[in-house]
Amino acid sequence: MTNKDLANAIFPNITKTIEDYEKEYPKRNLPDGAIVSRFAPSPTGFMHLGGLFQALIDYVIAKRSGGVFYLRNEDTDKAREIDGALELIMDTLNSYNLTPDEYEYNGKMIGNYGPYIQSERKEIYHAFIKHLIEIGRAYPCFCTKEELDLMRENQETMKIRTGYHGRFARCSRLSIEEAIEKIKNGEKYVIRFRSNGNFDNKFVFDDLRQGKLYLNENDIDEIIMKSENMLPTYHFAHVVDDHLMRTTHVVRGEEWLPSAPKHIEMFEAFGFEAPKYIHTPLIMKKEGDSLRKISKRKDPEASMSYYDKLGYPKIAVIESLMTIINSNYEEWHQENPDKKFTDFTFSADKMSTSGALYDLMKLEDISKNIISKMTKEQLCEESLAWANKHSESLKDLILKDKEYYKSIINIEREKENPRKDIAKYSDIESLIWYMYDDIFYNKEKDYEWKNVTDKKEIKNILDTYMEKYIDLTDKDNWFNNIKLMCDELGYASNMKEYKKNKEAFKGNVADVSTVLRVALTSKSNTPDLFEIMSLLGVDKIKQRFNKIEA
Ligand code: GLU
C-alpha cells in the first residue's frame, strides 16, 4: 500500500489537485511592487483596537503600492464564533473608510480569489492535505486527549521540550495499513503535518518589522486538520489561503511569530514561496508609571465600540493610530498637513520594536484639532449623524433649530485660531446646553462666581449693565460699554493701571466680564461672551440677569 491509498481512504471524494487550484487562482496581474494584503480576523464578536491597527497597515501598504487589500473571515473555530461578528467587522471597516477591495459578505462575493470565508474552503484544504499525505508529509494521528496530556506531563517531568515531535510523534510511525485499518474502524483522528526540521538548527527569518531573526527550525508535527468538522487549523489555512489568494504581505500580531517556523516549513513542503511578514507589536497603555498591554477585559478603549459611542471623528482615530504605526508619521503629517494618511509611505522597520503605546490624551488632541478645522456645516452633519445613533438629546437639540445650533457651534470657529474645546461629539451638549432656555432654566446648576461673590455687588453690576450699558451692535461698542461701566462702578477698565495700583479699585474689567458671563451661562469658562450674548439677544439676557437674586 502507498501513501496514495491512505490519501484516498481519507479523502475519497476529493478529485481536484493542487495544480488545478494553481490554475484557478493564478498569480495576480498587478504592477511590479504592488502589495496584496489581507485582514483576517476570527469572528469572535469583537473589533479590537489592535485589529483596526493591523487593518490600517494592510490598507495603507496596499493602496500606496497600487495593490489589493482583502478581507478573509477566519471562522474555522466554530465554538468561538459569534453571530453578527462579520457584520461588525465589515461595518467597522466601512465606517473607517477602509473598505476591502475583495470580500464576501451577505451572500455577495467581490473578487476572484474567494471564497473569502474559511469554512467555505473545506474542499480546497482537503485537496492540499491530500497532496501532503500523498507525498508523505502528512498523516492521520489517533492519539487521544488523555494520551497527549500524559505525554506532555512526562515531557515536563523529564524536562524535555513539550509537543508532538521526534520520538514523541507516535502516530508518525504507524504503517499505512495500520492507519487505514483504524480509519475503517471509525477511530477518531486528526491530520498532522510531518516535519523534517531539526530544532537545533537555526534559520534566518526576515521579519519586515524586526529585521533578521535567527529562529529554530520547526520539528513539531502540527495538527493541520481537526477531527471535528474536518476543518483546518489556523496554521494550515494560513499557508493555503495566503498562497492561493496570492498575499504578498502578512500583517499579523506578534503572538504568531513563534509559529512562523511551522508556516515556513509548510510553505516549503508545497514548494511555495512564503509571503513577507510584518508581525505587529502589542498595543500598550500607560498605567501609573508603567506600561501594560491594552486588555479586552479591563480597558473599554480596547474595543472599537468605545470610539463610536463617544463620537470621535473616524479620521481622528485613524490619525492617532498612524502616529503609533510609524514613528515618523507625526513629523510627516506636520510637514504635509493637506495630505491624506494614504499618501504616507509606511515602513515596517519604523514601527516600534517594543509595544506600541496608545495614548487617549493624544487622540483627544488630534481630535480637537480635526474638529476645530471643520466648517459649521460639517460639524453639524457629523454630530447629527453621531447623535442619530448615540444621543437622543443632542439629536433633539440639533433638529429643533439647525441654524441656531450651527451658530452656536460656530462661535470662535471658521477662523485662524478656532476654538479647540470639542474632542468628540459627546462633548458638545455639555458645552452648549446653556444656550437653550428650556434646558437652562430646568437644570440644577452651580453658578461659578469667581472674584466677585457678593450677591449685592453682582446684582448691582447686572442692573447697571441692563439699565445703561447693554449694547450688542458690534464687539468694539460692546466692550467699550463694559469698560465705561467699570469706570462708573469703581473697577479698573485698564489692566495696566489695575496692576499698578490694585487697592484703588474694587476689581478689574475681567472680573466684571466674568460676572456677566456667569450670570448668563452659570459657567466661568465659555467661548466668546459677545457672541454668546448676540446669539441670545437682549430679552433673554435680561431675563437671565433678572433671575439672579441679591
Ligand atoms: N485569525 C487570526 C487572528 O485573528 C489571523 C492572524 C493572521 O492575520 O494571520 O489572530
Side-chain angles (χ1 to χ4, degrees):
M1 281 209 176
T2 64
N3 285 322
K4 253 198 152 78
D5 298 310
L6 179 59
N8 280 328
I10 298 176
F11 298 111
N13 300 323
I14 295 294
T15 50
K16 274 197 187 174
T17 65
I18 68 171
E19 288 75 28
D20 294 333
Y21 286 110
E22 285 298 297
K23 280 192 207 120
E24 201 170 324
Y25 303 106
K27 271 193 101 155
R28 289 170 184 266
N29 190 7
L30 291 169
D32 271 359
I35 289 176
V36 179
S37 64
R38 85 295 193 276
F39 180 45
S42 305
T44 53
F46 195 80
M47 184 74 186
H48 195 275
L49 184 64
L52 196 77
F53 178 86
Q54 283 166 10
L56 185 54
I57 300 174
D58 286 320
Y59 185 86
V60 169
I61 58 179
K63 294 290 146 180
R64 189 83 177 104
S65 63
V68 173
F69 163 55
Y70 70 88
L71 174 69
R72 184 169 70 227
N73 183 7
E74 304 218 319
D75 65 339
T76 59
D77 191 350
K78 288 294 171 193
R80 286 179 62 218
E81 187 170 354
I82 300 277
D83 271 357
L86 182 60
E87 189 176 2
L88 176 73
I89 292 162
M90 241 357 238
D91 283 355
T92 309
L93 292 179
N94 283 337
S95 70
Y96 281 88
N97 257 321
L98 303 176
T99 305
D101 301 305
E102 297 175 6
Y103 58 88
E104 192 176 336
Y105 181 57
N106 261 347
K108 192 169 85 178
M109 182 150 76
I110 308 282
N112 297 324
Y113 288 80
Y116 298 91
I117 298 180
Q118 285 185 331
S119 57
E120 294 174 12
R121 301 174 61 77
K122 210 154 143 175
E123 238 182 80
I124 304 179
Y125 302 126
H126 288 180
F128 279 71
I129 295 173
K130 192 170 187 183
H131 171 84
L132 285 185
I133 297 176
E134 284 171 0
I135 63 168
R137 294 302 304 271
Y139 62 88
C141 166
F142 303 88
C143 291
T144 61
K145 184 175 178 302
E146 290 68 33
E147 287 168 331
L148 293 173
D149 286 347
L150 191 65
M151 178 190 92
R152 172 174 287 267
E153 270 171 38
N154 287 338
Q155 287 173 326
E156 275 163 4
T157 26
M158 292 188 296
K159 300 211 163 26
I160 293 176
R161 190 163 43 85
T162 56
Y164 210 79
H165 58 80
R167 66 191 162 92
F168 298 98
R170 263 200 339 205
C171 290
S172 70
R173 293 187 293 274
L174 286 177
S175 69
I176 293 170
E177 289 74 13
E178 282 170 312
I180 292 180
E181 186 62 23
K182 280 174 178 289
I183 291 169
K184 279 199 183 135
N185 290 340
E187 278 190 48
K188 272 180 103 180
Y189 62 92
V190 297
I191 306 284
R192 288 186 184 269
F193 177 64
R194 189 189 301 275
S195 169
N196 289 339
N198 176 352
F199 187 76
D200 295 328
N201 286 350
K202 299 259 183 194
F203 72 103
V204 176
F205 178 79
D206 202 358
D207 182 78
L208 293 189
R209 168 174 153 241
Q210 305 188 35
K212 286 195 182 354
L213 301 171
Y214 294 87
L215 304 183
N216 298 83
E217 276 180 17
N218 172 59
D219 67 350
I220 305 267
D221 285 1
E222 185 63 47
I223 298 176
I224 56 177
M225 187 186 88
K226 299 177 263 192
S227 61
E228 214 170 289
N229 298 329
M230 294 180 85
L231 282 169
T233 54
Y234 165 75
H235 307 292
F236 190 69
H238 154 52
V239 171
V240 172
D241 291 351
D242 283 315
H243 172 69
L244 286 184
M245 296 179 182
R246 308 292 170 178
T247 309
T248 63
H249 287 60
V250 167
V251 178
R252 65 181 181 188
E254 70 182 1
E255 69 273 17
W256 292 112
L257 185 59
S259 309
K262 285 176 195 160
H263 307 151
I264 298 297
E265 199 192 353
M266 289 186 209
F267 278 109
E268 282 170 2
F270 282 113
F272 299 153
E273 192 189 335
K276 294 190 163 62
Y277 288 94
I278 298 171
H279 286 96
T280 58
L282 291 173
I283 303 204
M284 313 289 283
K285 73 176 276 178
K286 232 187 176 142
E287 196 170 59
D289 283 338
S290 52
L291 298 185
R292 67 164 174 80
K293 183 181 158 204
I294 282 200
S295 130
K296 199 156 125 173
R297 227 169 6 94
K298 288 196 223 152
D299 307 309
E301 72 268 30
S303 164
M304 292 320 298
S305 61
Y306 173 85
Y307 307 90
D308 271 358
K309 244 180 245 150
L310 290 177
Y312 287 99
K314 299 287 188 263
I315 187 68
V317 178
I318 287 198
E319 291 288 338
S320 73
L321 283 173
M322 288 302 292
T323 63
I324 63 165
I325 279 176
N326 256 188
S327 53
N328 55 331
Y329 180 77
E330 238 177 316
E331 201 184 328
W332 174 86
H333 191 56
Q334 268 160 17
E335 282 163 15
N336 302 280
D338 300 325
K339 290 207 171 146
K340 284 173 52 185
F341 69 93
T342 37
D343 296 323
F344 175 73
T345 307
F346 165 86
S347 346
D349 59 357
K350 292 208 176 73
M351 294 189 85
S352 150
T353 45
S354 50
L357 177 61
Y358 193 66
D359 180 357
L360 284 174
M361 291 317 287
K362 179 120 201 176
L363 168 64
E364 288 265 313
D365 279 350
I366 292 175
S367 194
K368 280 179 180 168
N369 255 318
I370 288 174
I371 292 182
S372 78
K373 289 186 191 126
M374 288 182 185
T375 63
K376 63 179 177 189
E377 304 292 340
Q378 277 170 330
L379 181 54
C380 177
E381 288 318 309
E382 295 287 333
S383 55
L384 178 57
W386 174 81
N388 274 329
K389 281 202 200 139
H390 300 280
S391 167
E392 236 1 77
S393 51
L394 181 65
K395 180 178 141 189
D396 289 348
L397 275 193
I398 300 176
L399 294 181
K400 193 154 63 177
D401 186 344
K402 243 182 171 180
E403 289 312 309
Y404 185 57
Y405 174 74
K406 279 187 215 162
S407 313
I408 300 170
I409 55 176
N410 214 37
I411 296 177
E412 291 188 54
R413 167 181 306 282
E414 295 189 13
K415 55 193 276 231
E416 203 177 330
N417 286 313
R419 66 194 276 194
K420 289 191 179 165
D421 52 349
I422 307 172
K424 46 197 180 297
Y425 306 128
S426 57
D427 290 344
I428 294 179
E429 220 177 318
S430 68
L431 295 168
I432 65 165
W433 60 272
Y434 52 76
M435 297 302 290
Y436 294 87
D437 270 354
D438 45 348
I439 306 178
F440 184 80
Y441 289 115
N442 288 320
K443 197 175 166 95
E444 285 262 343
K445 48 195 176 292
D446 273 337
Y447 282 85
E448 298 170 356
W449 307 112
K450 289 286 164 190
N451 292 346
V452 185
T453 51
D454 179 70
K455 284 291 170 63
K456 276 207 182 91
E457 181 59 11
I458 289 172
K459 196 74 192 142
N460 183 31
I461 293 174
L462 298 177
D463 286 345
T464 315
Y465 186 68
M466 285 192 287
E467 251 164 59
K468 297 196 226 161
Y469 295 102
I470 195 159
D471 177 2
L472 302 175
T473 46
D474 70 39
K475 196 164 180 176
D476 287 342
N477 277 341
W478 168 83
F479 194 49
N480 252 334
N481 272 313
I482 293 177
K483 287 206 269 193
L484 288 175
M485 176 170 76
C486 286
D487 295 337
E488 178 185 329
L489 297 179
Y491 290 83
S493 55
N494 179 308
M495 287 308 267
K496 258 196 207 143
E497 271 172 36
Y498 176 69
K499 279 187 190 141
K500 262 193 265 161
N501 189 6
K502 289 187 182 173
E503 282 70 39
F505 302 97
K506 286 202 258 176
N508 60 50
V509 65
D511 296 330
V512 170
S513 303
T514 299
V515 167
L516 300 180
R517 186 188 307 273
V518 177
L520 196 62
T521 66
S522 80
K523 316 279 306 162
S524 57
N525 196 350
T526 71
D528 191 85
L529 182 58
F530 170 71
E531 292 197 46
I532 290 178
M533 286 188 154
S534 306
L535 273 177
L536 286 171
V538 173
D539 289 349
K540 284 188 179 156
I541 296 172
K542 285 188 173 168
Q543 230 170 21
R544 291 189 185 193
F545 284 178
N546 283 327
K547 286 267 180 213
I548 307 287
E549 278 159 22

